[in-house]
Amino acid sequence: MLKLQRADLFREAAYVGGEWSTGNGHTWVPVHNPATGAQLGRVPSLTRANVEEAIASANAAFAQYRQWTGKARGAVLLKWASLMLEHKNDLAQIMTAEQGKPLREAQGEIDYAVSFLEWFGEEAKRVYGDTIPAPRGNQRITVIRQPVGVCAAITPWNFPSGMVTRKVAPALAAGCTVVLKPAPQTPFSALALCVLAEEAGLPKGALSVVTGDAVEIGAALIESETVRKLSFTGSTAVGKKLMAACAGTVKKVSLELGGNAPFIVFDDANLDQAVQGAIASKFRNAGQTCVCANRFLVQAGIHDAFVERLTQAVREMRMGHGTEDGVTLGPLIDDAALRKVERLVADARSKGASVHAGGERHPAGPSFYAPTVLTDVTDTMSITQEEIFGPVVAVTRFTDEAEALTLANATRYGLAAYFYTSDLNRSIRVTEALDFGIVGVNEGAISTEVAPFGGVKESGFGKEGSRYGIDEYSERKYVCLGNVA
Ligand code: SIN
């Protein structure tokens, strides 16, 4: 049972055009607590007509909202941020209940989510244009920035609040309006944010949250000529389908897709820092982030010491329900996620990997997988080719820098990469040689609102957060003023 100070933050309804809606009133989607498997609540399964209503109200709101000054838009975002901080504990409890992450991590995610509202609340005032020296004396050339229009945002279950504000805040700051489809596993965090957005003064229709069947809602959003932009975070497989479908109406698209992050430890690394960075990168959200280290590449001279220290740290982790004191690791999101991790570990073991810790389910509940350390991992094992999305460290030994780089880049993904070294020249060489959009050098925690988050290759395109994030939601219009006397 959730014990909230503000019970009204927990809504079993969608939010369409500024009104709480139960759709047709009799088709619902259950939402479960992954730590217990018990049903937490339900949200309505909206019809295509409901989604079209949300799009129409976003379009009507856009006509007015685009006229607001950047300062006025920013003020709403900043107010929304302060309301989120005021209700941080309630929001974190809702998140832990639907997502499973430990309460402290959920509180950290609320801070992370707030940071995007604050950042883009400020940036709303800085959507600058340009003046360009014209080739003819009687011309003046300027570039103005204007909002893209109605945007669709599709967010994942691993960061139920952080990914919402990372998309919605720059869109609203730029003057766009948004129809958001949260992941079916974690709709309640997004809905709670709407309660606070409304209180912060966001006009009706500027943000809708639609719940229900992913395929039907996705089709309504993608096929709409009114929706001019799609921002999606999720799997590469779904991202490819959405990208192809967006061609039908030539939408602007940003995709934050899967990753297969290498985490390289060179012989000259600081061992303490490397172990600490490995824990931060691998075990955040029980290994369920796109930027989690997926492949640990460890040089022969430091390999055994690194594995021993990391295994010791992993054995000290406390797995359990996110609301229990001292818990550092929660469950996987559902049974399918658990079975995927089991399959990858079984495949690695059958091909010669050794288990130093874990390697099996954890008794804390139905979707818990014990934190695991595997060594003797090779690139013939599926665990090095697929995104694990679970608390498993898979270690491969290498001999020299060239081999490490070849292994690291041997993936179709290109989101994040990490490496540890104390050699300055190597740090520059390796940074430049890694084919990834984000590189952590002697650092395992790279996510922040101030830096551009996004991948290359099949990890997608477009940047989220930072001063570049708002570019995804604005168009540059070239204006040529002629015959100036
Ligand atoms: C993600 O997993 O999609 C986002 C992770 C982050 O923002 O750090």
Side-chain angles (χ1 to χ4, degrees):
M1 247 329 248
L2 282 170
K3 290 200 195 80
L4 304 178
Q5 300 215 311
R6 285 253 329 243
D8 67 318
L9 289 177
F10 185 79
R11 297 284 175 131
E12 293 182 289
Y15 186 64
V16 176
E19 305 293 337
W20 294 96
S21 161
T22 53
N24 66 14
H26 47 77
T27 324
W28 296 85
V29 184
V31 180
H32 297 96
N33 179 334
T36 59
Q39 185 171 330
L40 177 65
R42 60 182 195 169
V43 286
S45 187
L46 297 188
T47 60
R48 190 173 176 120
N50 298 141
V51 180
E52 283 164 358
E53 191 190 328
I55 296 170
S57 41
N59 200 32
F62 178 62
Q64 301 297 318
Y65 184 67
R66 65 178 305 174
Q67 311 290 347
W68 286 31
T69 62
K71 186 169 174 162
R73 294 196 290 257
V76 172
L77 295 180
L78 295 174
K79 173 78 177 153
W80 188 6
S82 76
L83 288 170
M84 280 187 69
L85 288 176
E86 193 180 323
H87 301 291
K88 177 166 155 179
N89 284 334
D90 281 353
L91 296 173
Q93 285 210 43
I94 292 171
M95 190 189 302
T96 292
E98 66 179 353
Q99 204 281 337
K101 65 181 68 182
L103 201 53
R104 277 193 60 171
E105 251 187 85
Q107 288 163 340
E109 187 185 329
I110 298 303
D111 289 334
Y112 187 40
V114 165
S115 75
F116 292 108
L117 292 177
E118 289 176 345
W119 176 270
F120 288 109
E122 298 288 337
E123 284 298 288
K125 293 182 282 195
R126 301 189 193 108
V127 185
Y128 299 141
D130 291 307
T131 56
I132 297 175
R136 298 197 191 99
N138 67 348
Q139 288 181 334
R140 299 292 180 272
I141 294 180
T142 53
V143 178
I144 60 170
R145 305 261 304 277
Q146 292 188 299
V148 170
V150 175
C151 301
I154 303 183
T155 51
W157 50 260
N158 58 349
F159 291 90
S161 294
M163 297 307 101
V164 168
T165 57
R166 192 157 83 180
K167 295 184 190 308
V168 169
L172 293 173
C176 300
T177 55
V178 185
V179 179
L180 170 81
K181 190 200 90 58
Q185 295 92 334
T186 57
F188 293 123
S189 292
L191 293 164
L193 295 197
C194 282
V195 176
L196 299 178
E198 191 177 79
E199 281 172 28
L202 200 63
K204 275 186 189 304
L207 173 64
S208 287
V209 173
V210 290
T211 56
D213 181 69
V215 174
E216 189 166 346
I217 293 177
L221 294 172
I222 302 301
E223 287 162 21
S224 163
E225 287 176 11
T226 305
V227 174
R228 295 310 319 144
K229 150 104 197 169
L230 167 74
S231 177
F232 169 72
T233 295
S235 72
T236 295
V238 173
K240 284 180 182 178
K241 287 191 186 144
L242 292 173
M243 186 177 165
C246 281
T249 48
V250 194
K251 288 188 198 342
K252 199 172 164 83
V253 178
S254 16
L255 300 173
E256 204 264 271
L257 307 177
N260 185 359
F263 187 105
I264 312 172
V265 185
F266 289 102
D267 280 349
D268 58 20
N270 175 312
L271 186 59
D272 286 340
Q273 289 176 4
V275 171
Q276 208 179 26
I279 301 283
S281 162
K282 178 74 247 185
F283 291 99
R284 175 169 167 240
N285 203 14
Q288 302 171 108
T289 86
C290 304
V291 288
C292 272
N294 210 57
R295 296 169 293 147
F296 285 80
L297 308 174
V298 186
Q299 200 162 7
I302 201 170
H303 178 276
D304 292 356
F306 177 80
V307 169
E308 190 188 322
R309 291 279 296 281
L310 188 61
T311 304
Q312 195 184 332
V314 163
R315 289 210 178 108
E316 283 162 15
M317 287 178 167
R318 186 142 165 249
M319 186 151 233
H321 295 205
T323 45
E324 286 167 17
D325 277 349
V327 161
T328 51
L329 216 52
L332 296 176
I333 190 69
D334 55 24
D335 195 49
L338 185 78
R339 280 187 279 109
K340 177 179 183 188
V341 173
E342 283 187 319
R343 170 176 64 77
L344 293 175
V345 173
D347 172 75
R349 292 177 85 162
S350 74
K351 293 177 180 156
S354 317
V355 181
H356 293 251
E360 58 193 1
R361 291 181 182 218
H362 189 281
S367 337
F368 286 84
Y369 196 86
T372 295
V373 179
L374 302 177
T375 56
D376 303 316
V377 169
T378 66
D379 57 7
T380 60
M381 300 174 185
S382 305
I383 205 157
T384 64
Q385 309 301 325
E386 294 180 39
E387 203 173 18
I388 305 170
F389 247 58
V392 181
V393 175
V395 182
T396 301
R397 191 190 295 254
F398 71 89
T399 51
D400 59 26
E401 189 179 305
E403 185 190 2
L405 282 171
T406 303
L407 287 168
N409 285 335
T411 171
R412 60 197 174 96
Y413 296 105
L415 186 53
Y418 308 84
F419 66 95
Y420 279 71
T421 182
S422 50
D423 178 335
L424 177 63
N425 289 321
R426 194 203 300 271
S427 75
I428 294 168
R429 249 186 347 257
V430 173
T431 296
E432 289 173 359
L434 284 167
D435 296 335
F436 293 84
I438 303 169
V439 178
V441 187
N442 296 329
E443 180 58 68
I446 40 73
S447 301
T448 162
E449 79 282 11
V450 306
F453 189 103
V456 297
K457 294 162 73 180
E458 293 193 24
S459 288
F461 49 83
K463 299 295 177 198
E464 294 196 308
S466 81
R467 71 188 170 96
Y468 308 106
I470 208 161
D471 287 354
E472 307 288 332
Y473 298 92
S474 68
E475 300 284 13
R476 288 187 163 78
K477 183 181 278 178
Y478 152 47
V479 186
C480 184
L481 179 65
N483 293 300
V484 176

